[in-house]
Amino acid sequence: MEHSNINAVDMHTGGETLRIIISGYPTIVGDTILEKRAYVKANLDHFRKFLMFEPRGHFDMFGALPVEPDVAEADAAFLFMHNEGYPTMCGHAVIALGSMFHDRYCVDQGIVEYKEPETEVKIQCPCGLVKAFVTCKDGCTDTVRFQSVPAFVVETNLMIQLQANHEIKVDVSYGGVFYVFVNIDDLDLHYSNIDGLKIACREIKAAASKQVTMSHPENKSLNFLNGVIFTKQCPNEDKILELCVFADQQLDRSPCGSGVTAMMALLHHKGLVSLEKQKTFENPLTHSKFLSKVINTTKCGDKAAVVVEVAGNGYYTGKSTFTSEKKDRLNSGFLLV
């Protein structure tokens, strides 16, 4: 299928890529953001593959698609996309978008007023409204922090049987999407490298999905398991190593913003972190860092929940115009796994 020119800006947060579609997408139908997500999934998924897959993207590509918000206070709204589909939240994307939409779009078009030392940008995500606060000085942006939707714990100390005759204990928590958390030290040497962790992720997701119902108390569209996060507490430090494998074995280069949110909810639930106590999260491969703290307690339906703040930096990497040709047999995109 031949596509018209699609313009995009590329950024990264902590090494995790974000391709932001600026123009060229067809009209997206739906009254709410979740209806728009369903419409794109059912009718425009070839555009996701066109932009995320090779030869224009790669296996671990991530994207953000602007749509009209349906929440009055939102400055902007986005759908997210990756190699498997359309997640409902992405923290690294919110950090990049907070910087981008202050610096290049919202201020220029008068949507958001530039303010020092901080400009607030309200971004509607499929999981809800997320407030981002962009550090501003001398017309430039720096660190972006965002406040999460209500995050809550689903299950703790769940025993999972892996195929390598190995049983491990996991936790399940929600931070805009659902994650399973595994202490990396609980895995044996069979899973000690990246390929092994991806195998473990596949086994853990399958087992956890059978044993736990991913149930959001307010919206059933959010009821899916996004990925597995491998963690390790650094001795004598307020630092946690966090490596996320999500979607179809996609490896996060950042500490994973929504995963950090879910982990902080878990730590608070276990009494391991108090309100306003800051933790540093680090990706063990790229060594990129996010800072996080629980800033408030709240409710999500009938569940006890928390609001988590996550901070990081987003950076520009380029601009592109993507085209296609009728004679190109690989025009629609492909992945080599």
Side-chain angles (χ1 to χ4, degrees), residues 79-100:
L79 302 177
F80 304 120
M81 61 183 72
H82 50 40
N83 69 10
E84 188 178 50
Y86 303 88
T88 53
M89 174 58 187
C90 179
H92 92 272
V94 168
I95 290 171
L97 291 166
S99 178
M100 184 261 192

Side-chain angles (χ1 to χ4, degrees), residues 65-79:
L65 174 65
V67 295
E68 285 295 320
D70 57 85
V71 175
E73 60 183 303
D75 298 309
F78 289 89
L79 302 177

Side-chain angles (χ1 to χ4, degrees), residues 254-308:
S254 79
C256 181
S258 56
V260 167
T261 300
M263 182 62 174
M264 288 298 283
L266 189 62
L267 293 174
H268 185 268
H269 175 82
K270 292 183 174 183
L272 298 176
V273 66
S274 57
L275 290 179
E276 299 296 333
K277 174 64 175 177
Q278 183 169 275
K279 290 279 189 179
T280 299
F281 287 80
E282 180 179 320
N283 184 299
L285 301 180
T286 62
H287 302 292
S288 59
K289 295 180 176 67
F290 289 165
L291 300 178
S292 185
K293 59 185 177 181
V294 178
I295 60 173
N296 203 359
T297 57
T298 185
K299 299 280 284 187
C300 185
D302 60 352
K303 289 183 177 291
V306 293
V307 177
V308 177

Side-chain angles (χ1 to χ4, degrees), residues 58-125:
H58 53 80
F59 187 81
D60 294 309
M61 196 70 196
F62 202 97
L65 174 65
V67 295
E68 285 295 320
D70 57 85
V71 175
E73 60 183 303
D75 298 309
F78 289 89
L79 302 177
F80 304 120
M81 61 183 72
H82 50 40
N83 69 10
E84 188 178 50
Y86 303 88
T88 53
M89 174 58 187
C90 179
H92 92 272
V94 168
I95 290 171
L97 291 166
S99 178
M100 184 261 192
F101 268 68
H102 151 261
D103 193 30
R104 295 287 192 270
Y105 187 84
C106 286
V107 171
D108 290 346
Q109 299 197 18
I111 298 173
V112 171
E113 181 183 356
Y114 176 87
K115 293 180 181 179
E116 293 188 5
E118 203 168 54
T119 298
E120 181 178 357
V121 182
K122 300 184 185 72
I123 299 174
Q124 185 186 10
C125 304

Side-chain angles (χ1 to χ4, degrees), residues 151-156 171-174 262 265-267 269 303-304:
F152 56 85
V153 173
V154 178
E155 189 87 36
T156 59
D171 300 315
V172 183
S173 189
Y174 175 85
L266 189 62
L267 293 174
H269 175 82
K303 289 183 177 291

Side-chain angles (χ1 to χ4, degrees), residues 50-314:
F50 178 78
L51 291 166
M52 297 295 103
F53 290 7
E54 298 181 60
R56 299 167 191 86
H58 53 80
F59 187 81
D60 294 309
M61 196 70 196
F62 202 97
L65 174 65
V67 295
E68 285 295 320
D70 57 85
V71 175
E73 60 183 303
D75 298 309
F78 289 89
L79 302 177
F80 304 120
M81 61 183 72
H82 50 40
N83 69 10
E84 188 178 50
Y86 303 88
T88 53
M89 174 58 187
C90 179
H92 92 272
V94 168
I95 290 171
L97 291 166
S99 178
M100 184 261 192
F101 268 68
H102 151 261
D103 193 30
R104 295 287 192 270
Y105 187 84
C106 286
V107 171
D108 290 346
Q109 299 197 18
I111 298 173
V112 171
E113 181 183 356
Y114 176 87
K115 293 180 181 179
E116 293 188 5
E118 203 168 54
T119 298
E120 181 178 357
V121 182
K122 300 184 185 72
I123 299 174
Q124 185 186 10
C125 304
C127 66
L129 187 70
V130 176
K131 294 181 179 179
F133 301 87
V134 187
T135 302
C136 300
K137 184 178 181 180
D138 300 328
C140 299
T141 63
D142 194 0
T143 301
V144 178
R145 59 186 178 92
F146 72 85
Q147 296 176 356
S148 72
V149 295
F152 56 85
V153 173
V154 178
E155 189 87 36
T156 59
N157 301 323
L158 178 70
M159 300 308 298
I160 295 289
Q161 182 72 40
L162 301 182
Q163 292 179 13
N165 297 318
H166 184 56
E167 192 175 49
I168 60 169
K169 184 168 60 178
V170 305
D171 300 315
V172 183
S173 189
Y174 175 85
V177 283
F178 290 94
Y179 290 102
V180 176
F181 288 87
V182 183
N183 187 326
I184 191 68
D185 290 335
D186 291 342
L187 291 176
D188 62 20
L189 292 177
H190 180 76
Y191 303 104
S192 61
N193 55 32
I194 295 301
D195 288 339
L197 290 178
K198 289 186 176 184
I199 292 170
C201 173
R202 187 180 297 111
E203 295 177 16
I204 292 166
K205 281 183 75 172
S209 296
K210 290 179 180 178
Q211 293 180 232
V212 181
T213 300
M214 306 298 158
S215 179
H216 192 279
E218 295 182 342
N219 198 315
K220 65 181 182 181
S221 297
L222 308 177
N223 295 348
F224 62 92
L225 178 58
N226 191 54
V228 176
I229 297 180
F230 302 96
T231 68
K232 180 181 177 67
Q233 175 69 54
C234 295
N236 304 317
E237 293 183 70
D238 281 328
K239 182 170 77 173
I240 297 172
L241 301 181
E242 187 163 289
L243 185 64
C244 178
V245 181
F246 64 99
D248 182 15
Q249 308 301 298
Q250 191 161 335
L251 183 65
D252 201 326
R253 274 69 170 168
S254 79
C256 181
S258 56
V260 167
T261 300
M263 182 62 174
M264 288 298 283
L266 189 62
L267 293 174
H268 185 268
H269 175 82
K270 292 183 174 183
L272 298 176
V273 66
S274 57
L275 290 179
E276 299 296 333
K277 174 64 175 177
Q278 183 169 275
K279 290 279 189 179
T280 299
F281 287 80
E282 180 179 320
N283 184 299
L285 301 180
T286 62
H287 302 292
S288 59
K289 295 180 176 67
F290 289 165
L291 300 178
S292 185
K293 59 185 177 181
V294 178
I295 60 173
N296 203 359
T297 57
T298 185
K299 299 280 284 187
C300 185
D302 60 352
K303 289 183 177 291
V306 293
V307 177
V308 177
E309 183 175 282
V310 181
N313 294 82

